[in-house]
Amino acid sequence: MSIRSLNALRVFDVVASLMSFSGAARQLTMSQGAVSYRIKQLEAELGLTLFDRAGSSIKLTEAGEEFRRTTRRVLDEIDYAARFLRRRATPEVVVGVSTYFGSRWLSPRLIRFLTKHPDVVLRLQPTFGDSALTSADVDAAIVWGSHDRFKGRYKLLFESTVTPMTGPKLAKTISVAGMRGGLKGVPLIHDDETH
């Protein structure tokens, strides 16, 4: 016997993850009665009880737990295949970039790029640190850090400098005693930021 409706599996998955018919109804934008009906229909098709219903609370039966593991895996595979096929049908370049860098440096330059290359579908993926380098959804990444830690191909966009900042009192001490003397006994902040 085959399941007649993949939608029923989605409904089951949401109910099982939230452990709530009303919560699933809100998330799926369905009525609670429709959610309940789909679950009863699925249970009838399977000939199994998937949920123990006790008053207003529910929990998965042993069969429901086992079915959930399978449906979760299968639905994840379907979602992955759909995303893969969509990306192949509409090729796009996904660039991983920090939100700060994207808004401050990259955004003003995007118009020029998109004007020169109107056939390129570009999507910016907000990333933080090295997550851009390990994400399967990112085709290229703009990251901050030393090039020796990157695997694969890279191109240096530009070097950056670190400028020390101080308050007026310490600046005056440094101007009188010199850098070494002015900083003696002052807690120092070391820049070892790699992001």
Side-chain angles (χ1 to χ4, degrees), residues 64-147:
E65 291 275 0
E66 192 172 328
F67 193 60
R68 170 100 199 293
R69 282 191 293 276
T70 303
T71 57
R72 180 72 264 145
R73 183 180 45 78
V74 169
L75 291 172
D76 283 346
E77 286 179 24
I78 291 169
D79 287 343
Y80 176 81
R83 281 195 312 274
F84 176 78
L85 291 172
R86 261 196 308 271
R87 281 189 72 185
R88 201 168 73 183
T90 311
E92 65 179 1
V93 177
V94 180
V95 178
V97 63
S98 74
T99 52
Y100 179 81
F101 186 83
S103 63
R104 297 293 180 152
W105 187 87
L106 189 59
S107 288
R109 291 160 174 83
L110 282 178
I111 296 299
R112 286 194 307 251
F113 175 82
L114 294 172
T115 302
K116 280 184 178 180
H117 307 282
D119 54 325
V120 174
V121 176
L122 185 66
R123 180 168 59 91
L124 299 182
Q125 177 70 41
T127 56
F128 179 75
D130 291 348
S131 68
L133 303 174
T134 57
S135 173
D137 292 335
V138 173
D139 299 310
I142 300 172
V143 294
W144 172 275
S146 174
H147 66 81

Side-chain angles (χ1 to χ4, degrees), residues 30-46:
M30 298 170 67
S31 71
Q32 187 171 338
V35 168
S36 192
Y37 175 75
R38 286 278 162 83
I39 296 299
K40 284 179 184 168
Q41 209 176 22
L42 181 61
E43 288 177 325
E45 281 184 45
L46 294 171

Side-chain angles (χ1 to χ4, degrees), residues 121-175:
V121 176
L122 185 66
R123 180 168 59 91
L124 299 182
Q125 177 70 41
T127 56
F128 179 75
D130 291 348
S131 68
L133 303 174
T134 57
S135 173
D137 292 335
V138 173
D139 299 310
I142 300 172
V143 294
W144 172 275
S146 174
H147 66 81
D148 58 347
R149 65 193 182 90
F150 299 129
K151 292 177 176 52
R153 293 185 356 207
Y154 65 88
K155 179 178 178 167
L156 179 66
L157 290 178
F158 51 81
E159 292 183 352
S160 64
T161 57
V162 177
T163 305
M165 307 297 280
T166 183
K169 184 178 175 187
L170 182 57
K172 187 174 181 182
T173 304
I174 291 171
S175 70

